[in-house]
Amino acid sequence: MRNQPFVLAVHGGAGSITNQVISPAKEKEARNALESALAAGYAVLEEGGSSLDAVEAAVRLLEDAPVFNAGKGATFNKEGGIELDASIMDGKTRRAGAVAGTTTVKNPISAARAVMEKSAHVLLVGRGADQFAAAVGLEIVKPSYFWTPERWEELQRQLNNERRPPKRRTGTPPAGKAEKFGTVGAVALDMSGNLAAATSTGGISNKQFGRVGDSPIVGAGTYAENDCCAVSATGQGEFFIRYVLAYDIVALMKYKGLSIEQATARAIHQTLKEAGGQGGVIAVDGRGNVAIDFNTEGMYRGYILPGGKPQVAIFR
Ligand code: ASP
């Protein structure tokens, strides 16, 4: 055991999050959920537990919080269904597990971990993922468990807008710009110097049935490699997949010698921005440096260091 400082960072998604858009009640709910997730992961790390256990514990709590778009409170697809994606990666062994399009696993992040530890595979999708999660004894719920009125209304608004496309005045931003990406994630460094990352999401509201984003794609939405860094992303998944953004941050550090702050800044403010994408990342390196960066108006985020108070922020 190296007995080095440990650290945990979490996010609840990036997007058009300002104090004009979010009610004080929602803000409080989000802050409380982020703090509970940090406390749960911290408790694991403080006792000498693994970064893998810490990120799973933190993400499970965020999945249970209806305020975020993961687990309960997930967004709906175009057909009014819920399809959940998640992945987890162990920086020590570079083993990874992921699920996509699940509909009945209460905590998809635990299903992702089970894929990593109890199957010969990395990614299971749809019915196969649901069946596997049930077979290994994870908690199964009816799809209606994930339903929340806010997300349902959000879908109805989007469907209505599609039926009656608004007349755009010159200079107004295109529809869809003002999105909130409520994906959740966690990255951690434990006392033994091991890194881990985890991400879980309902995807994007009004998505095509069967659409899979970056969150369950290793290298795109999630990545961890010891002595380099662990990354969890949020934003327009299609861009994160095409630009392999989580791994790009790792590659910038490994092959170009950039610091974690420089690598995340370049990925978000150069690569993602130039591609026309929106989003953010949380990352932690092997020395415990945390980098949180985004090119959206806000991002639900927080981190905690040894002996420290949880630091939580939402707006810029
Ligand atoms: N990245 C997620 C996806 O594209 C969405 C999000 O971050 O909220 O599925």
Side-chain angles (χ1 to χ4, degrees), residues 4-73:
Q4 61 169 41
F6 51 91
V7 49
L8 171 74
V10 297
H11 71 83
S16 57
I17 307 160
T18 64
N19 50 8
Q20 279 102 52
V21 178
I22 309 292
S23 70
K26 277 273 167 252
E27 182 183 338
K28 190 152 181 269
E29 197 182 335
R31 282 182 184 276
N32 288 343
L34 291 168
E35 279 175 12
S36 305
L38 286 171
Y42 186 87
V44 173
L45 295 173
E46 200 182 21
E47 283 179 9
S50 72
S51 50
L52 207 54
D53 285 342
V55 294
E56 184 187 2
V59 167
R60 281 179 67 95
L61 276 172
L62 296 168
E63 287 176 336
D64 293 345
V67 66
F68 300 122
N69 167 23
K72 182 157 183 74

Side-chain angles (χ1 to χ4, degrees), residues 194-279:
N194 294 319
L195 292 166
T199 312
S200 180
T201 189
I204 282 179
S205 184
N206 196 23
K207 66 186 178 183
Q208 190 76 36
F209 172 52
R211 179 261 189 192
V212 175
D214 60 314
S215 306
I217 308 294
V218 170
T222 305
Y223 199 79
E225 181 173 331
N226 266 17
D227 296 319
C228 193
C229 74
V231 182
S232 171
T234 172
Q236 292 166 311
E238 283 69 12
F239 290 94
F240 284 80
I241 295 174
R242 286 164 49 209
Y243 290 83
V244 203
L245 266 170
Y247 185 71
D248 198 46
I249 291 170
V250 172
L252 285 167
M253 292 175 69
K254 256 171 62 167
Y255 303 124
K256 239 178 172 267
L258 298 196
S259 71
I260 194 163
E261 290 82 9
Q262 291 168 330
T264 50
R266 176 152 162 179
I268 297 299
H269 300 292
Q270 201 170 317
T271 310
L272 182 64
K273 185 171 169 234
E274 284 170 10
Q278 288 189 307

Side-chain angles (χ1 to χ4, degrees), residues 144-205:
S144 59
Y145 159 80
F146 300 106
W147 195 95
T148 55
E150 288 86 358
R151 296 296 183 188
W152 185 251
E153 279 155 26
E154 177 183 57
L155 174 69
Q156 301 316 311
R157 269 199 307 278
Q158 287 168 324
L159 291 174
N160 275 335
N161 286 343
E162 281 179 359
R163 270 176 230 125
R164 291 181 282 106
K167 282 209 180 78
R168 269 183 67 198
R169 272 178 292 140
T170 321
T172 54
K177 263 272 168 210
E179 281 174 294
K180 288 197 278 305
F181 308 108
T183 288
V184 305
V187 291
L189 170 70
D190 63 29
M191 279 186 200
S192 308
N194 294 319
L195 292 166
T199 312
S200 180
T201 189
I204 282 179
S205 184

